[in-house]
Amino acid sequence: MISRIRPSVLAALTFVMLLPGLVFIERAENRRVQEHVRAVVLSELGTLRAKLEGILAGDLALLRGLVAFVSVHPDITLEEFVGIAREIKQGGAHIRNVGLARNNVISHIFPLAGNEAALGLDYGKIPSQRDAVDRIMETGRMVVAGPVSLVQGGTAIIGRAPIFVAYDMAHHKAGDYWGLASIPIDAPGLFETVGLLNPDLPFTLALRGKDGQSANSGIFFGEPKVFDNNPVTLTVSLPEGSWVLAAQPKPELIASGTSIWIVRLLGGAVIGLLTLLVFRITHDSWLLREAATHDPLTGLPNRVLLQDRLEHLVAIAGRNQARFAVLALDLDNFKPINDTYGHQAGDQALQIIADRIKSCLRSADTVARVGGDEFIVVLGDLASNEDAGNVASKIIDSVARPLVGESNGYGVSVSIGIAIFPEDGDASEALVKRADFAMYASKLAGKNRFGYATPQPRPQFCTEARAEKSAVAGNVVDLPKR
């Protein structure tokens, strides 16, 4: 069955069958590369997170000393405050100032220079900071807010801790809410120190979770689109709440870790070579089969393929009680073309005549060249014997048209004999022989005509017609007497 498929079709089928394998391998390699890239990003992102959490935790821890002092000394003096605040600011690289807000109104600030605008600021009257202050009072715990724009200029992440007056042992009185202590941490400086602003990072960053509300608040650093396409994410822990640090690998990182193009090139080369190999093998096999089963001049089936098709048709028609016809064709007066115009003109004439015969047939019918100027036509699935005669008439009319080419203007005719299955034979050899007898009878009857096989053909028709054909060819013989 495979040998009957044209090489180009089989090669195309090979390509189509192998292509999904390449797609599967490419997708698997793509997943491997993506996992590798995400692992690289996750490792470097973990380092950035650790630095960010470490700096924030260190700066915020400094604030706890001030909270402890004020809770015991609620009437803290300015001198005491400045001494503690100076140590806090010197201990933190990015702390912009240190403040106390008694009853949530800023009452102390260090350094004062450059922060005068913040004195007297009532947090309860600032919408952008009111929510964070309310959370401090509700939870009694330190809250990280921001980044926020400061009234004195700049952007900061503000750590605020509630202050409760220590338990009064003398009067057995529980500590009341005093206010809060705060340290604004310079946001651009913090991000620069951590490395978030490094342009050489192999990924794009973004931070989400303003005021420590990672699930509900917006993006406050980086490009929002980072969160749109399955980023690598890590949670940055805060004293109360968290941020989400996200990263998307840059194209150059993906390119540095990818072998997709190698897979495509190698896979494409393998598929191409296999496809070419299949085409070459099948093409050679197809050429051998064509040479063994087809006439090289006209491209028509030869006697070998005709016999195969006839036997197949006899078996099918016998099972289905169907009818078919075998037509034996022999060209009249063809030899003079070779003698007058040369063998090249004769070959061209045979190709033209072969095409004319094929044009008179259905696609399911067969025409084979079985000799120099002899053809056999097989007509399957006949409704009546007259159908075979109609086809024979069409062939006679078509062949009789003047030839065009090197033998331009010369005309030939054809004599045809018809044998019908199963009346004239139930085997391929018998049908061809009866059609042959009928064809020679047509020649002796005047040529350029067709005739049906007779119940009792005269074998001498064949001898007489062949003798006449030889005489036309220049080999004159005496015709036998009847």
Side-chain angles (χ1 to χ4, degrees), residues 108-309:
H108 303 69
I109 193 165
F110 176 87
L112 181 60
N115 295 299
E116 296 88 344
L119 277 176
L121 185 69
D122 186 347
Y123 288 127
K125 295 180 179 180
I126 303 176
S128 62
Q129 300 191 42
R130 184 186 305 137
D131 290 343
V133 173
D134 289 343
R135 284 172 54 208
I136 293 171
M137 297 180 66
E138 290 173 4
T139 63
R141 300 179 62 182
M142 180 183 293
V143 169
V144 176
V148 297
S149 296
L150 302 176
V151 295
Q152 59 270 46
T155 304
I157 298 164
I158 304 178
R160 297 191 181 98
I163 301 174
F164 294 90
V165 176
Y167 187 81
D168 189 344
M169 298 293 293
H171 300 88
H172 303 286
K173 182 179 179 183
D176 294 327
Y177 176 74
W178 184 90
L180 53 86
S182 65
I183 50 170
I185 300 171
D186 183 61
L190 172 64
F191 296 154
E192 177 70 31
T193 299
V194 171
L196 302 185
L197 300 179
N198 182 3
D200 296 328
L201 286 174
F203 41 76
T204 306
L205 291 170
L207 272 167
R208 181 172 65 191
K210 190 173 182 179
D211 294 335
Q213 303 297 299
S214 61
N216 302 316
S217 54
I219 297 168
F220 62 85
F221 172 82
E223 301 181 14
K225 65 180 181 180
V226 170
F227 282 94
D228 293 341
N229 188 23
N230 189 27
V232 179
T233 60
L234 288 175
T235 299
V236 179
S237 298
L238 302 174
E240 180 70 19
S242 62
W243 294 336
V244 175
L245 179 61
Q248 283 285 0
K250 292 179 179 178
E252 52 265 32
L253 177 61
I254 298 175
S256 67
T258 183
S259 55
I260 296 299
W261 284 108
I262 296 177
V263 171
R264 287 177 179 173
L265 289 174
L266 291 179
V270 170
I271 289 178
L273 287 175
L274 287 175
T275 302
L276 183 61
L277 182 61
V278 169
F279 175 79
R280 184 59 183 270
I281 293 174
T282 54
H283 185 257
D284 290 346
S285 175
W286 182 78
L287 288 178
L288 290 173
R289 183 177 181 276
E290 285 290 300
T293 58
H294 286 76
D295 172 49
L297 177 63
T298 62
L300 296 178
N302 61 14
R303 192 179 294 275
V304 174
L305 184 55
L306 173 67
Q307 183 67 23
D308 179 68
R309 292 186 180 178

Side-chain angles (χ1 to χ4, degrees), residues 16 255 311 467:
V16 170
E311 291 178 355

Side-chain angles (χ1 to χ4, degrees), residues 391-432:
V391 173
S393 294
K394 288 174 59 179
I395 293 174
I396 290 171
D397 293 340
S398 181
V399 170
R401 297 202 309 268
L403 295 171
V404 177
E406 296 187 26
S407 56
N408 188 20
Y410 192 90
V412 297
S413 61
V414 61
S415 298
I416 302 175
I418 303 174
I420 306 295
F421 175 92
E423 294 96 313
D424 299 320
D426 57 4
S428 59
E429 296 86 351
L431 289 167
V432 171

